[in-house]
């Protein structure tokens, strides 16, 4: 069905970049990675992580053992928080340079890995700051080697060239995308994710769904990004309830992690548009807001406003969570209602008013969408003309539920 939305005369760029060690026990491959780093002249690394997950999951035990075995010195920056800031990045960069680190090992979800990617750039551009990086004051072409050890099944950042950080002084949360920050090595081990809380399990998986909805419907969507989207949503629909019911279910974690990986590759190819462009101002203004929850609040309204432009594609890829759609433009409201109903069924019913936003905030959020560096670029590849009026309507309708 989705094939009807593809223009076969448009040339698409198909990206397949990093190699990933994937599966239960993949963390043991850190020994091979450490040996390869040492053979390439890396004798010191900075390990970037949050405050506790890197140890609680057991990942650190393997990493520390491998570094010690291969005589690689290390220093640990363990201050990364959700929605990391440019200040985090600058602080970690200073530690890395003072220590003489030659590579970055990032252990965590999107926040830690994105911080690690940003630090890896600044290790090569020592006179630059994170603010300059995220305000696009320069275009990096090199970065220190990056090892990404992923601890969540949502962001897909371990397999793509994207990173995000918040610039608090301006309430900006831009995204960067450079070939030099594809990780040199990545590890996806589902046994490291059994300690995720219920909310983390839900929100990260919903992040993966959002990635592919956007990547399958952007102006640069390809058959590849759409095919990956179909598989991603099907896997999340099947395995998210199982992981929510039993956090130790390794099979469920495995396939949610695979869905996340597919989602990361999908948006590396098809890119992102409305939902991420509109969520970034939400969590820039309220850093305590989980990125995945912000996306969940916006997704139904985004689908409503893009449905007529990609009806065939959306009906096809959303079938596991919004069954019965025929792919006709008049289904936009029903598609939004069905997706919201699915979100509610897995336990995510919050809307913007539940998180403290109100209609008085809408204009500020709209302005941030169009002034934050990079977000206007995302909006420019939405499947329709992303006007301020449409963005305002999505925010307004996301305040409360359709159902």
């Amino acid at each position: 069905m989705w094939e009807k939305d593809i223009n076969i005369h448009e040339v698409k760029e198909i990206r397949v970049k990093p190699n990933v060690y994937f599966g239960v026990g993949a963390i043991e491959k850190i020994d091979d990675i450490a040996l390869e780093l040492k053979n390439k002249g890396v004798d010191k690394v900075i390990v970037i992580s949050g405050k506790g997950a890197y140890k609680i999951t057991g990942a650190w035990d393997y990493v520390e053992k491998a570094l010690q075995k291969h005589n690689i010195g290390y220093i640990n920056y363990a201050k990364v928080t959700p929605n990391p800031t440019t200040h985090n990045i600058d602080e970690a960069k200073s530690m890395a340079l003072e220590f003489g680190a030659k590579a970055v090992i990032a252990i965590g979800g999107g926040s830690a890995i994105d911080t690690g990617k940003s630090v890896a750039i600044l290790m090569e551009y020592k006179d630059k700051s994170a603010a300059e990086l995220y305000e696009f004051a320069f275009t990096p072409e090199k970065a220190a080697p990056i090892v990404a050890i992923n601890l969540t099944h949502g962001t897909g950042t371990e397999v793509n060239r994207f990173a995000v950080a918040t610039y608090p002084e301006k309430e900006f949360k831009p995204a960067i995308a450079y070939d030099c920050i594809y990780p040199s090595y990545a590890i996806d081990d589902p046994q490291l994710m059994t300690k995720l809380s219920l909310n983390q399990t839900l929100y990260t998986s919903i992040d993966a769904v959002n990635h592919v909805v956007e990547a399958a419907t952007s102006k640069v969507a390809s058959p590849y990004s759409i095919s990956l989207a179909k598989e991603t949503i099907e896997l999340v629909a099947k395995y998210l309830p199982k992981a929510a019911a039993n956090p130790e279910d390794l099979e469920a974690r495995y396939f949610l992690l695979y869905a996340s990986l597919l989602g990361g590759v999908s948006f590396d190819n098809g890119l992102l548009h409305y939902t991420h462009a509109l969520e970034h101002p939400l969590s820039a203004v309220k850093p305590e807001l989980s990125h995945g929850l912000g996306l969940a609040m916006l997704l139904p309204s985004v689908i409503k406003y893009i449905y007529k432009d990609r009806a065939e594609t959306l009906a096809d890829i959303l079938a596991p969570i919004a069954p019965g759609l025929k792919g006709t433009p008049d289904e936009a409201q029903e598609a939004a209602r069905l997706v919201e109903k699915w979100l509610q069924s897995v336990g995510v019913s919050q809307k913007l008013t539940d998180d403290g936003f109100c209609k008085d905030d809408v204009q500020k959020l709209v302005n941030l969408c169009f002034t934050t560096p990079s977000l206007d670029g995302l909006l420019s590849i939405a499947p329709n003309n992303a006007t301020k009026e449409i963005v305002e309507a999505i925010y307004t309708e996301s305040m409360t539920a359709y159902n």
Side-chain angles (χ1 to χ4, degrees), residues 208-217 225 228-229 232-233 262-263 266 317:
V209 170
N210 274 275
H211 286 154
V212 298
V213 167
E214 293 168 84
T217 57
S225 67
L228 294 173
T232 297
I233 295 175
L262 294 181
S266 180
I317 68 172

Side-chain angles (χ1 to χ4, degrees), residues 248-281:
E248 300 289 335
D249 186 335
L250 277 178
E251 181 183 57
R253 295 290 185 187
Y254 179 98
F255 286 108
L256 288 175
L257 182 54
Y258 183 57
S260 171
L261 182 153
L262 294 181
V265 177
S266 180
F267 87 82
D268 201 31
N269 284 270
L271 305 182
L272 303 169
H273 52 80
Y274 275 116
T275 323
H276 276 74
L278 272 66
E279 193 289 321
H280 283 199

Side-chain angles (χ1 to χ4, degrees), residues 12-71:
K12 306 291 186 180
E13 180 181 10
I14 303 295
R15 285 178 170 263
V16 188
K17 292 282 184 177
N19 291 325
V20 183
Y21 292 113
F22 186 96
V24 177
I27 186 61
E28 296 176 20
K29 290 293 185 178
I30 189 62
D31 185 76
D32 295 341
I33 292 170
L35 177 59
E36 289 187 38
L37 288 173
K38 190 61 181 284
N39 289 340
K40 292 178 180 179
V42 174
D43 57 358
K44 290 184 179 181
V45 300
I46 182 168
V47 178
I48 293 178
S49 67
K51 297 177 181 179
Y54 73 115
K55 288 186 175 179
I56 294 169
T57 58
W60 177 241
D61 293 337
Y62 289 92
V63 174
E64 185 176 40
K65 180 180 177 182
L67 294 176
Q68 291 175 346
K69 176 181 175 181
H70 297 288
N71 297 312

Side-chain angles (χ1 to χ4, degrees), residues 70-293:
H70 297 288
N71 297 312
I72 298 175
Y74 59 88
I75 191 170
N76 182 203
Y77 180 81
K79 299 182 183 179
V80 178
T81 60
N83 297 310
T85 68
T86 50
H87 303 307
N88 295 135
I89 295 164
D90 285 332
E91 189 175 19
K93 167 209 170 182
S94 296
M95 282 182 62
L97 294 179
E98 184 177 348
F99 182 64
K102 296 178 182 176
V104 173
I105 298 178
I107 311 174
S111 296
I113 296 174
D114 286 1
T115 300
K117 289 179 173 181
S118 306
V119 171
I121 289 173
L122 296 179
M123 286 165 64
E124 295 290 335
Y125 295 84
K126 299 177 176 61
D127 61 331
K128 303 296 185 182
S129 68
E132 290 175 295
L133 175 61
Y134 278 91
E135 287 198 288
F136 298 89
F138 69 105
T139 302
E141 296 181 350
K142 57 185 178 178
I146 301 160
V147 180
I149 301 174
N150 184 24
L151 299 184
T152 69
H153 41 65
T155 70
T157 189
E158 80 278 12
V159 294
N160 64 38
R161 62 201 151 114
F162 287 84
V164 175
T166 299
Y167 185 7
E169 288 79 1
K170 296 188 177 182
E171 294 185 315
F172 285 169
K173 188 180 175 183
I176 59 173
Y178 298 112
D179 282 7
C180 63
I181 53 173
Y182 280 109
S184 304
Y185 309 90
I187 290 175
D188 272 334
D189 188 333
Q191 70 181 334
L192 301 179
M193 296 167 201
T194 59
K195 305 301 182 188
L196 288 173
S197 70
L198 175 59
N199 281 344
Q200 289 171 318
T201 297
L202 296 172
Y203 300 158
T204 57
S205 298
I206 290 167
D207 190 5
V209 170
N210 274 275
H211 286 154
V212 298
V213 167
E214 293 168 84
T217 57
S218 75
K219 288 177 181 174
V220 296
S222 68
Y224 187 45
S225 67
I226 297 171
S227 297
L228 294 173
K230 286 187 58 148
E231 182 73 5
T232 297
I233 295 175
E234 183 176 331
L235 289 170
V236 172
K238 181 175 181 179
Y239 288 100
L240 181 54
K242 295 182 179 182
N246 178 12
E248 300 289 335
D249 186 335
L250 277 178
E251 181 183 57
R253 295 290 185 187
Y254 179 98
F255 286 108
L256 288 175
L257 182 54
Y258 183 57
S260 171
L261 182 153
L262 294 181
V265 177
S266 180
F267 87 82
D268 201 31
N269 284 270
L271 305 182
L272 303 169
H273 52 80
Y274 275 116
T275 323
H276 276 74
L278 272 66
E279 193 289 321
H280 283 199
L282 294 178
S283 50
V285 171
K286 290 184 181 290
E288 68 277 10
L289 174 65
S290 167
H291 173 61
L293 175 57

